[in-house]
Amino acid sequence: MKVALVDVDGHGFPNLALMKLSAWHKSNGDSVEWYSPLFSRPDRLYASKVFTFTPDYRGFAPCAPPPVRGGTGYDATVKLPDEVERTLPDYTIYPEFTPALGFLSRGCIRSCPWCVVPRKEGKIRVVDDVERISAGRREVVLLDNNFLATPPEFVSEQLAKAKALKLKIDFNQALDARLVTERNAKELAETKWIHYIRFSCDTGMMLSHVADAVRLVRSFGYRGEFFVYVLAKDVEEAYDRICRLTAIDKKIVPFCQPFRDFTSGGEPPVELRRLARWCNIQSIRKTVSFRDYRSGVHR
Ligand code: SF4
C-alpha cells in the first residue's frame, strides 16, 4: 500500500503521530512519503494538525482519497490505535531533528481552563520509559504535560535512568513548579538538560511557586538556565509578571505566549503580540524597556 502524509502545521517541529504512523506502515511493508498533489498517488492519506489556529491544508488533488484527519487542531478526541501508539517514531521523515521524541506520561492532574490536555488526555498515567524512547539517541525531547505529577518513584526511576544512560533531556511542555519537592529537586539538579529546565508561570499565583522551585533546584547545585512559559492575556499584568519573574533569578528566560481564543480562532491582539516579541527576543528585552519598545522608539 502507498501511504502519504501531510503535516498541516508545516515542518517546524516534528509531528509525533505522523512519525509513528510512518514507522507502523513501513513495518507492515507499505511505502510512505510526504504528500505531493502532483506526484503522489496514495492509497491512504493522513493529515495531522496540532494547532487549532493553523489554517487547514487545501491542496489535495481531486483524485486523492479522503484524508484520515487527526491531531488536536482537528479533533482532540481522535487517538492513534494502541498498536501504532506503541511504535517507535520514524525519524527519517524529519531528518533535521536529531533528538528522540516521546511521552513518558499522558494527561494531567489539573484542569486549567485554557488547556486542552484534561479534555484530550484525561487523568495522568505512565505510558513509556525513557530508555525505550531514547532508542540509542543521546538527547530526548519529552512532551509530557505534567511529568512531576506521576508517582514519585516513577519520577526518580526515569531521571536516574536518564542519568545512568548519560542522556540529555528536555521536558519541552514544562514542569509544574508546584510539584517540585526536596526529593525531585535534587534529581532535577543532577539531570543533564538539552538546554534548560522549563517551568510555566501562567498566572500571577504561580510566581511564588516558580521562585520556590528555582531556589530548591539551585540549592542542589543546578547552575543552568530556567526557561519559563508566560501565558499572557492582559498586557500590563503579563508585563508585570515577566518583570517579577526575571527578578527571581538572573538565569530565568521568560517566554511569553499570547493567549489565543480557540473558539473565535482569531489572532491575539497586537499589543500582546508586541509584548511577546519584546520578551522573547532576549537581546531586545535586555537592552530596551518595554515602554520604549511599545512606543516605537526602538523599532
Ligand atoms: S497544568 Fe499544564 S497540562 Fe495540566 S491542565 Fe494546567 S496547563 Fe494543562
Side-chain angles (χ1 to χ4, degrees):
M1 178 161 68
K2 289 182 189 164
V3 174
L5 311 172
V6 180
D7 180 342
V8 180
D9 302 296
H11 293 234
F13 189 81
N15 181 306
L16 186 59
L18 291 179
M19 293 165 89
K20 290 187 173 188
L21 281 164
S22 175
W24 186 84
H25 274 289
K26 284 180 180 174
S27 71
N28 283 281
D30 301 329
S31 69
V32 181
E33 64 179 10
W34 289 115
Y35 178 67
S36 154
L38 273 183
F39 302 111
S40 300
R41 294 294 173 264
D43 304 299
R44 187 172 303 170
L45 193 47
Y46 293 101
S48 180
K49 185 160 94 82
V50 173
F51 302 109
T52 40
F53 52 80
T54 306
D56 202 359
Y57 179 79
R58 304 262 175 231
F60 296 114
C63 59
V68 179
R69 289 187 164 92
T72 309
Y74 284 128
D75 181 350
T77 61
V78 174
K79 293 196 171 17
L80 291 176
D82 286 347
E83 200 185 338
V84 179
E85 189 61 70
R86 288 292 301 161
T87 306
L88 286 172
D90 176 5
Y91 290 98
T92 65
I93 66 172
Y94 293 99
E96 307 286 306
F97 185 81
T98 54
L101 187 64
F103 286 87
L104 293 173
S105 64
R106 292 282 195 163
C108 186
I109 54 167
R110 307 198 190 277
S111 47
C112 305
W114 59 84
C115 179
V116 72
V117 169
R119 187 160 51 91
K120 182 177 170 232
E121 299 190 359
K123 294 285 170 219
I124 191 119
R125 64 206 176 279
V126 167
V127 296
D128 217 328
D129 175 272
V130 73
E131 184 171 5
R132 192 188 94 92
I133 294 173
S134 71
R137 292 181 178 233
R138 309 310 314 160
E139 296 187 341
V140 185
V141 173
L142 296 160
L143 302 167
D144 298 47
N145 292 294
N146 202 337
F147 171 66
L148 296 182
T150 62
E153 301 72 32
F154 180 72
V155 170
S156 299
E157 177 198 74
Q158 294 302 307
L159 295 180
K161 260 191 196 181
K163 187 177 165 189
L165 293 166
K166 299 189 167 55
L167 300 176
K168 282 187 173 179
I169 63 173
D170 177 24
F171 284 99
N172 86 338
Q173 300 299 295
L175 297 169
D176 188 335
R178 290 163 288 192
L179 300 175
V180 173
T181 61
E182 288 272 341
R183 171 173 169 168
N184 62 32
K186 182 172 189 298
E187 294 161 350
L188 294 172
E190 291 171 352
T191 298
K192 297 278 175 247
W193 300 93
I194 292 178
H195 296 297
Y196 19 53
I197 297 177
R198 300 189 202 233
F199 288 125
S200 53
C201 183
D202 291 335
T203 64
M205 281 166 59
M206 283 299 295
L207 279 164
S208 61
H209 295 289
V210 172
D212 291 346
V214 165
R215 232 174 273 127
L216 205 47
V217 177
R218 282 266 182 259
S219 74
F220 288 103
Y222 176 72
R223 299 276 169 264
E225 291 182 320
F226 294 92
F227 183 98
V228 183
Y229 293 106
V230 177
L231 184 69
K233 269 185 171 180
D234 174 89
V235 174
E236 303 307 329
E237 187 282 326
Y239 170 69
D240 176 63
R241 194 157 16 112
I242 290 164
C243 294
R244 294 208 273 152
L245 197 52
T246 48
I248 291 171
D249 184 290
K250 63 179 187 309
K251 287 192 178 173
I252 283 184
V253 180
F255 187 81
C256 178
Q257 295 182 301
F259 175 77
R260 280 174 183 264
D261 183 349
F262 291 126
T263 49
S264 69
E267 281 278 311
V270 66
E271 271 294 281
L272 276 182
R273 284 185 277 142
R274 192 169 289 145
L275 175 69
R277 247 192 336 268
W278 169 80
C279 173
N280 300 346
I281 301 173
Q282 283 207 69
S283 56
I284 296 181
R285 179 173 49 79
K286 288 183 173 174
T287 54
V288 181
S289 72
F290 181 54
R291 196 173 160 178
D292 283 350
Y293 185 74
R294 82 197 301 193
S295 66
V297 173
H298 286 268
R299 265 180 281 150

